[in-house]
């Protein structure tokens, strides 16, 4: 009898426990179903969506994942800090200035036109270039020739007759060209690209996002650079990151042993455009996967031999070059992501020959010797008598380049290039700017030697410099705005931007002293604007 009672009690206890578990599960389901409904009247969803992106609740995991993708420096925070500017850049790329939205109570609902857009509307930035004739174009293109890629994805171009069936109805031959080819076709005697170039946003986006199908080391040069190829045959010069944003070149370093900085290449392109020179090929920042976009696809055996995994588990490589190509100066990802600049390549020299010119104000590139211009204050007089500086605007173009170099602190301008087709009557190409923006706490007045010794400058350049020294068009503000749209923003540390305004004042002061010592103003300011201003 006692055993029967014990068995009955155990069965009832198990049934009761099971009932309690089922009841708890039912209550849990009811609560889950009821809560979302209850939230709607009280605005729970609205409150949740109004949490700012900087809130620790939301930012923690996001920042952690972004930090993993940072470059080897581990301290510039370019990815983390620039998440908002990059999102904005999807809508307004560099080369496509638009509007800025005001923030705060006083600016609620207001939109403010960007300073960059206002600058490009200024009369000084709308002075027309001479009429471009066929002989002034770098390339003369057959308007009937069409190009396209095989739909199968092969690497062959389809030309003319074969392409007819692949082209959408109504498209012209020009519409079939990729952005890099349109850029090449647009080069003429007077400019590398037009002021209001609708192609620029597309070209910069391609540099930053196009799939990389080949990476090989560029021959020559003192430091490592890679040539990267895209599926549409476009190519870019990749300069990897070597220094953090806030590092300055040590004061004891010689200019010829300084690092080449990827962010200097990016900033130089935008600064050159703000000065209205437009003589630097388009450059965009890019975060590259060392494993997938370099190591796994390279056909360069010498480069391939230099890859290794660091003690920290990061993918590194160093290539072959004159300086800083060793295990001690290896380029390492985090773990395999690396920042770099992507510069659009100019047309191949077999198609468009370029001539390299030694700068008259080239430095000695010696630890103790000085160049002639450093010893002879009247050096400019003999330059003026030497071709090609004895006629045309070549000397004035060189002084333009001097102004650009001084503003970014570039002492490494030993040569410059021009397109051979245009002879001496054309602009100078401002290539290789990686040694700019190395210092912000000190200036190098010797860079301005051509301006100081010759006391000549284009009137248009001087008027633009004056404009960029005014509050509405302050140079640092304009470059800050232009760089904010780059994928690697912030590109420059704030002290570098502030140094621009200081250096601009020094350039204007040099011109002011020249004007004070001249008998006539036109001896210093060479008129190239006529009645347009």
């Amino acid at each position: 009898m006692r055993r029967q009672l014990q068995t009955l009690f155990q069965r009832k206890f198990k049934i009761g426990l099971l009932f309690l578990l089922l009841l708890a599960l039912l209550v849990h389901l009811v609560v889950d179903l009821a809560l979302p409904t209850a939230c709607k009247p009280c605005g729970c969803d609205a409150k949740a969506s109004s949490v700012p992106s900087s809130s620790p609740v939301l930012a923690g995991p996001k920042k952690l994942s972004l930090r993993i993708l940072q470059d080897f420096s581990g301290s510039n925070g370019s990815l983390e800090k620039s998440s908002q500017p990059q999102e904005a850049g999807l809508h307004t790329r560099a080369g496509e200035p638009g509007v800025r939205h005001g923030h705060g109570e006083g600016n609620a609902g207001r939109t403010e036109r960007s300073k960059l857009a206002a600058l490009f509307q200024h009369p000084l930035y709308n002075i027309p270039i001479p009429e471009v004739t066929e002989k002034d174009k770098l390339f003369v293109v057959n308007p009937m020739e069409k190009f396209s890629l095989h739909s199968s994805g092969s690497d062959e171009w389809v030309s003319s007759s074969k392409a007819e069936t692949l082209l959408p109805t109504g498209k012209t031959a020009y519409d079939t060209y990729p952005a890099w080819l349109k850029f090449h076709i647009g080069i003429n005697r007077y400019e590398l690209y037009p002021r209001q170039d609708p192609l620029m946003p597309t070209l910069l986006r391609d540099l930053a996002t196009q799939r990389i199908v080949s990476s090989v080391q560029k021959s020559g040069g003192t430091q490592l650079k890679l040539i990267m190829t895209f599926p549409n045959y476009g190519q870019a010069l990749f300069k990897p990151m070597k220094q953090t944003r806030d590092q300055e070149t040590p004061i004891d370093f010689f200019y010829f042993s300084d690092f080449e900085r990827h962010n200097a290449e990016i900033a130089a392109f935008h600064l050159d455009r703000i000065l209205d020179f437009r003589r630097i090929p388009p450059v965009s920042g890019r975060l590259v996967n060392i494993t997938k976009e370099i190591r796994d696809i390279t056909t360069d055996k010498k480069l391939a031999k230099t890859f290794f995994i660091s003690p920290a588990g990061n993918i590194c490589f160093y290539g072959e070059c004159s300086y800083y190509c060793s295990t001690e100066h290896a380029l390492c990802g985090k773990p395999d992501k690396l920042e770099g600049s992507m510069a659009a390549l100019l047309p191949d020299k077999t198609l468009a020959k370029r001539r390299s010119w030694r700068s008259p104000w080239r430095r000695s590139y010696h630890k103790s010797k000085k160049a002639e211009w450093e010893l002879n204050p009247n050096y400019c007089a003999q330059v003026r008598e030497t071709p090609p500086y004895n006629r045309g605007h070549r000397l004035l173009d060189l002084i333009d380049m001097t102004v650009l170099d001084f503003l970014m602190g570039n002492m490494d301008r030993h040569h410059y290039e021009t397109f051979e087709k245009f002879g001496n009557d054309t602009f100078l190409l401002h290539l290789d700017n990686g040694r700019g923006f190395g210092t912000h706490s000190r200036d190098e007045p010797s860079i301005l030697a051509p301006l100081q010794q010759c006391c000549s400058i284009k009137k248009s350049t001087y008027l633009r410099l004056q404009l960029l020294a005014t509050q509405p068009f302050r140079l640092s503000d304009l470059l800050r705005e232009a760089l904010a749209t780059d994928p690697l923003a912030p590109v420059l540390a704030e002290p570098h931007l502030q140094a621009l305004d200081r250096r601009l004042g020094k350039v204007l002061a040099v011109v002011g002293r020249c004007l004070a010592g001249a008998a006539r103003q036109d001896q210093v300011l060479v008129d190239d604007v006529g009645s347009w201003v």
Side-chain angles (χ1 to χ4, degrees):
M1 183 69 181
R2 184 179 295 176
R3 289 181 179 178
Q4 290 179 348
L5 288 174
Q6 287 178 347
T7 303
L8 182 62
F9 177 76
Q10 288 176 353
R11 288 179 179 175
K12 287 185 177 181
F13 177 77
K14 291 179 180 178
I15 293 172
L17 185 61
L18 181 60
F19 176 76
L20 288 174
L21 289 173
L22 290 173
L23 183 62
L25 180 61
L26 183 62
V27 170
H28 184 69
L29 291 172
V30 170
V31 170
D32 284 349
L33 292 172
L35 275 178
T37 308
C39 278
K40 290 179 182 177
C42 68
C44 297
D45 289 346
K47 289 180 182 178
S49 63
S50 66
V51 177
S53 60
S54 59
S55 169
V57 177
L58 297 180
K62 181 177 180 180
K63 287 190 175 182
L64 180 61
S65 63
L66 288 174
R67 195 172 291 115
I68 292 173
L69 298 178
Q70 285 185 22
D71 58 78
F72 67 92
S73 68
S75 62
N76 64 62
S78 63
L79 290 174
E80 184 177 334
K81 293 177 184 176
S82 66
S83 58
Q84 292 181 354
Q86 286 186 58
E87 290 170 4
L90 294 176
H91 304 286
T92 307
R93 290 284 307 177
E96 193 179 27
V99 296
R100 292 187 302 178
H101 295 273
H103 298 284
E105 295 179 3
N107 292 326
R110 283 176 48 193
T111 58
E112 179 185 349
R113 188 161 180 80
S114 75
K115 287 188 176 183
L116 205 56
L119 179 77
F120 294 146
Q121 294 300 318
H122 193 278
L124 283 171
Y125 288 79
N126 287 276
I127 300 171
I129 64 171
E131 181 183 358
V132 179
T133 63
E134 289 295 304
K135 67 178 182 179
D136 296 323
K137 297 176 182 178
L138 187 60
F139 295 110
V140 178
V141 181
N142 180 356
M144 300 304 294
E145 191 73 15
K146 303 178 179 66
F147 292 91
S148 180
L149 284 171
H150 271 307
S151 57
S152 63
S154 73
D155 288 339
E156 292 184 35
W157 282 102
V158 179
S159 68
S160 213
S161 59
K162 294 182 182 179
E164 289 293 342
T165 57
L166 301 176
L167 298 178
T169 305
K171 292 289 184 179
T172 64
Y174 184 79
D175 294 326
T176 69
Y177 302 158
W180 65 266
L181 185 55
K182 293 178 181 178
F183 164 57
H184 288 178
I185 292 171
I187 299 171
N188 60 62
R189 179 186 301 275
Y190 308 106
E191 57 188 5
L192 197 56
Y193 57 88
R195 289 190 182 101
Q196 308 294 337
D197 189 0
L199 180 67
M200 192 57 63
T202 304
L203 186 54
L204 291 174
R205 185 169 58 248
D206 284 354
L207 291 170
T209 62
Q210 276 270 331
R211 182 169 60 90
I212 299 169
V213 297
S214 172
S215 295
V216 296
Q217 187 167 306
K218 184 181 184 296
S219 60
T222 58
Q223 299 185 35
L224 178 68
K225 296 178 280 288
L226 302 178
I227 300 291
M228 294 185 164
T229 306
F230 306 130
N232 63 3
Y233 283 91
Q235 289 187 316
L237 181 67
F238 176 77
K239 286 191 177 182
M241 180 176 185
K242 294 186 179 74
Q243 281 186 320
T244 61
R245 306 289 197 273
D246 55 351
Q247 281 183 293
E248 280 198 276
T249 302
I251 194 169
D252 293 321
F253 263 42
F254 286 101
Y255 52 88
F256 49 80
S257 58
D258 192 10
F259 285 113
E260 291 186 7
R261 286 164 286 273
H262 73 302
N263 58 326
E265 294 286 358
I266 302 167
F269 161 67
H270 290 281
L271 177 60
D272 180 81
R273 185 164 173 258
I274 288 170
L275 294 171
D276 199 44
F277 295 154
R278 291 169 289 118
R279 299 164 194 170
I280 296 179
V283 185
S284 174
R286 179 162 181 161
L287 195 68
V288 169
N289 186 306
I290 297 176
T291 304
K292 296 179 179 178
E293 296 178 315
I294 302 179
R295 189 192 67 181
D296 291 352
I297 62 174
T298 187
T299 56
D300 189 329
K301 293 181 180 180
K302 291 182 179 180
L303 177 64
K305 291 178 181 178
T306 67
F307 286 87
F308 64 94
I309 299 177
S310 72
N314 298 321
I315 306 296
C316 307
F317 69 104
Y318 52 87
E320 289 189 356
C321 61
S322 304
Y323 295 107
Y324 307 121
C325 282
S326 64
T327 309
E328 294 77 17
H329 297 99
L331 305 164
C332 298
K334 276 284 189 175
D336 57 1
K337 300 289 187 180
L338 176 66
E339 281 189 21
S341 62
M342 299 283 280
L345 289 188
L346 293 172
D348 191 275
K349 290 183 179 180
T350 58
L351 300 175
K353 293 182 180 179
R354 300 199 300 271
R355 181 169 178 180
S356 178
W357 304 80
R358 180 184 171 120
S359 171
W361 280 270
R362 180 185 186 272
R363 297 178 184 274
S364 65
Y365 287 81
H366 192 276
K367 294 177 182 177
S368 57
K369 292 181 180 179
K370 288 190 175 183
E372 183 181 353
W373 60 268
E374 295 178 277
L375 303 172
N376 180 8
N378 298 316
Y379 180 74
C380 184
Q382 67 186 64
V383 173
R384 288 182 184 274
E385 296 175 357
T386 306
Y389 307 101
N390 59 343
R391 56 172 293 274
H393 51 79
R394 176 63 64 87
L395 181 60
L396 294 171
D397 287 342
L398 187 73
I399 291 173
D400 280 350
M401 187 166 59
T402 293
V403 171
L404 173 70
D405 284 336
F406 178 73
L407 290 175
M408 59 184 182
N410 179 26
M411 300 173 66
D412 188 38
R413 187 70 69 185
H414 45 83
H415 285 78
Y416 62 87
E417 294 185 15
T418 59
F419 287 109
E420 195 172 283
K421 176 180 178 178
F422 303 136
N424 295 334
D425 187 21
T426 187
F427 60 89
L428 316 185
L429 290 164
H430 299 168
L431 306 177
D432 202 7
N433 303 287
R435 285 186 170 142
F437 296 103
T439 60
H440 54 72
S441 59
R442 58 188 185 273
D443 305 329
E444 182 50 58
S446 66
I447 299 175
L448 283 177
L451 175 60
Q452 293 168 331
Q453 295 177 355
C454 298
C455 266
S456 292
I457 190 171
K458 291 179 184 175
K459 186 176 182 180
S460 62
T461 299
Y462 178 64
L463 292 176
R464 290 188 189 104
L465 293 176
Q466 283 187 315
L467 181 67
L468 296 173
T470 63
Q471 183 63 29
F473 300 104
R474 188 164 54 187
L475 180 57
S476 59
D477 292 341
L478 292 165
L479 187 58
R480 186 185 298 108
E481 181 184 337
L483 294 177
T485 60
D486 190 85
L488 299 183
V491 173
L492 290 179
E494 189 61 27
H496 282 291
L497 294 168
Q498 296 170 1
L500 283 171
D501 298 325
R502 180 183 71 240
R503 291 169 182 167
L504 176 57
K506 292 184 178 182
V507 175
L508 292 173
V510 170
V511 180
R513 288 193 292 271
C514 290
L515 288 169
R520 299 190 320 275
Q521 189 181 74
D522 59 5
Q523 292 177 336
V524 177
L525 304 181
V526 180
D527 190 5
D528 62 330
V529 294
S531 60
W532 290 102
V533 177

